[in-house]
Amino acid sequence: MDHRLLTQHCSREVRIGREVFGGGEVGWIAGPCAVESYEQMREAAEELLACGVAVMRGGLYKPRTSPHSFQGLQAAGLDIIRRIKAEFDLAYVSEVVDRASLELLLPYLDAVQVGSRNCMNYALLKMVGQTGKPVILKRGFAMTVDEWLYAAEYLAQAGARDIVLCERGIRTVTEVTRFTLDLGALAWLKTQDLLPVIADPSHATGDNSLVMPLARAALAAGADGLLLEVTPCPNRALCDARQQLSFAQLRALRKN
Ligand code: PEP
Ligand code: MN
């Protein structure tokens, strides 16, 4: 293992908007899987502010397993983000998949998300690192922890200083959840004190009734934050409908 740049140059505490990840703080990122409409994002923004979450998510570029599934609004959704950013005091995080999406989204991003499927896309990691923005680096769902840390090292080599690792579940023999949230890896990473590490129980489970217990388990294991999918009408969502929380569920989770 040679993670010298993470050790020498990267922050142990990352600030995105008013949320702090690491250094004993727990940061929250929440919002819809995909941006679908201005009304959906406005309602989500109002709800997030009301329950005190300061970083909003919402994908415009959705790398879906099936090419027949909704791929995100892509460039057509930028205007929605422009309006939401102007109207609400929220930071915004979204996934980029290539140079074009990075260039289009960058002016609106407070942090750049690299998704599970692109965690080994070294050309993309270099481009994202060069922006100097905070990065949320999802773990590839078939990646070892060492490979994941090397992906972070690529970001750091290109210039990233603020990197947040996001454990989002890996492929195992378990079939009752979509993936398996690797809390052992999360707890181990905390012992290494390299980078802040958060958990995404939404993609890990694929089931909104399991998000709350695994969110709590992740925090008990030492997670520096959570990334959660929540949307005004989960059962009408165009993407990941089963796993998205309602805002009532998010409020319940925030209470304890
Ligand atoms: C997401 O967070 O929008 C997403 C697609 O997650 P992952 O890359 O972990 O599958
Ligand atoms: Mn999703």
Side-chain angles (χ1 to χ4, degrees), residues 131-148:
T131 68
K133 294 233 179 176
V135 184
I136 306 293
L137 181 64
K138 294 283 196 102
R139 179 182 183 179
F141 52 72
M143 268 168 89
T144 66
V145 173
D146 196 40
E147 288 165 343
W148 187 17

Side-chain angles (χ1 to χ4, degrees), residues 13-21 25-29 49 52-56 85 88-93 108-112 133-136 162 164:
E13 187 180 309
V14 172
R15 206 168 274 276
I16 303 173
R18 293 184 302 281
E19 301 282 346
V20 182
F21 303 84
E25 304 282 333
V26 171
W28 291 61
I29 301 170
L49 282 175
V53 175
V55 184
M56 184 182 210
K85 288 276 298 185
F88 296 92
D89 185 19
L90 284 168
Y92 176 61
V93 176
Y108 309 104
L109 293 180
D110 298 283
V112 186
K133 294 233 179 176
V135 184
I136 306 293
D162 297 322
V164 177

